[in-house]
């Protein structure tokens, strides 16, 4: 946000304002949100904490749709830091608590997604095992059927040869 060696926070504010204007022009709420958070960080570095709090509250009112929980939690974390710097520990605690709740919710959501993925994987494996079992059963049934047909064929062939042999023995005798 600024050049640490030169302490050029004014030029940082200039570029953040340009970023904000461009995001507003595109009507991109997420970019507007990030520009406002960056602007608040510049104000924090300039030790204008009340102005930073005001900008962060404006950012919090935007209806963002991308990375909602993470973005809002970062915003509350920055709010907490600015409140702490001006000595408003009650609001600092509230903002920090809100930050933690959003992070917990985000973790809960991630865990729910992972559990859903695990359940899907488990069901898939279950189906694979069931399919293998059915395939194995089908192979056994086919083997038994072909074995019976082969024995029946051999039995008929032996019977025909036996009849031919008996008829030859009768002609000879």
């Amino acid at each position: 946000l600024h050049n640490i060696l030169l302490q050029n926070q004014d030029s940082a504010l200039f570029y953040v304002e340009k970023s904000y204007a461009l995001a507003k022009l595109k009507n991109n709420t997420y970019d507007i949100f990030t520009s406002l958070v960056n602007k608040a960080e510049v104000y924090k570095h300039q030790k204008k904490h009340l102005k930073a709090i005001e900008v962060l509250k404006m950012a919090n009112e935007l209806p963002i749709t991308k990375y909602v929980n993470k973005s809002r939690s970062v915003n509350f974390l920055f709010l907490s830091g600015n409140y702490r710097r001006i000595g408003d520990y009650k609001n600092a605690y509230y903002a920090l608590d809100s930050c933690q709740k959003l992070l917990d919710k985000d973790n809960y959501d991630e865990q729910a997604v992972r559990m859903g993925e695990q359940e899907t994987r488990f069901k898939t494996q279950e189906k694979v095992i069931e399919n293998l079992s059915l395939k194995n059963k089908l192979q056994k049934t086919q083997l038994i059927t072909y074995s019976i047909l082969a024995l029946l064929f051999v039995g008929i062939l032996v019977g025909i040869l036996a009849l031919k042999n008996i008829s030859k023995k009768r002609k000879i005798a």
Side-chain angles (χ1 to χ4, degrees):
L1 291 175
H2 70 289
N3 185 328
I4 295 173
L5 297 174
L6 300 176
Q7 297 293 319
N8 288 336
Q9 289 134 351
D10 291 334
S11 64
L13 190 57
F14 173 76
Y15 287 112
V16 168
E17 286 291 341
K18 274 191 157 192
S19 168
Y20 177 73
L22 186 62
K24 251 199 162 342
L25 185 67
K26 290 182 178 179
N27 199 23
N28 185 334
T29 54
Y30 182 74
D31 288 346
I32 294 171
F33 177 85
T34 55
S35 294
L36 287 173
V37 170
N38 289 336
K39 186 176 183 181
E41 277 298 293
V42 171
Y43 286 138
K44 180 188 87 174
H45 286 288
Q46 292 176 343
K47 306 223 184 299
K48 296 178 182 177
H49 300 294
L50 291 175
K51 204 160 189 154
I53 291 169
E54 180 184 323
V55 172
L56 287 170
K57 284 182 177 178
M58 280 176 39
N60 225 14
E61 293 172 3
L62 288 173
I64 58 173
T65 55
K66 283 176 29 178
Y67 317 114
V68 178
N69 290 340
K70 287 191 189 294
S71 300
R72 296 261 188 242
S73 68
V74 167
N75 195 22
F76 278 120
L77 183 65
F78 290 165
L79 259 174
S80 173
N82 281 299
Y83 278 128
R84 189 175 43 86
R85 284 178 181 82
I86 63 170
D88 187 353
Y89 296 109
K90 182 180 177 184
N91 282 327
Y93 175 75
Y94 169 74
L96 196 58
D97 186 48
S98 297
C99 171
Q100 191 58 48
K101 284 179 183 173
L102 285 171
L103 287 175
D104 289 346
K105 184 177 186 284
D106 206 33
N107 287 338
Y108 177 77
D109 291 345
E110 285 178 21
Q111 284 179 354
V113 167
R114 284 190 193 125
M115 286 176 63
E117 289 172 355
Q118 290 291 343
E119 186 176 342
T120 304
R121 228 179 267 129
F122 175 74
K123 285 183 179 179
T124 303
Q125 282 182 333
E126 209 173 53
K127 288 291 182 187
V128 166
I129 290 171
E130 184 181 338
N131 286 343
L132 286 174
S133 172
L134 290 174
K135 190 175 180 181
N136 196 10
K137 219 181 228 184
L138 179 66
Q139 285 177 343
K140 283 182 183 178
T141 306
Q142 285 178 341
L143 182 65
I144 290 171
T145 304
Y146 292 140
S147 298
I148 290 173
L149 287 175
L151 286 174
L152 187 62
F153 178 73
V154 169
I156 292 173
L157 190 62
V158 167
I160 291 173
L161 291 175
L163 284 175
K164 279 187 175 180
N165 195 17
I166 291 174
S167 67
K168 280 184 181 179
K169 282 185 181 181
R170 282 189 189 164
K171 282 185 183 179
I172 294 178

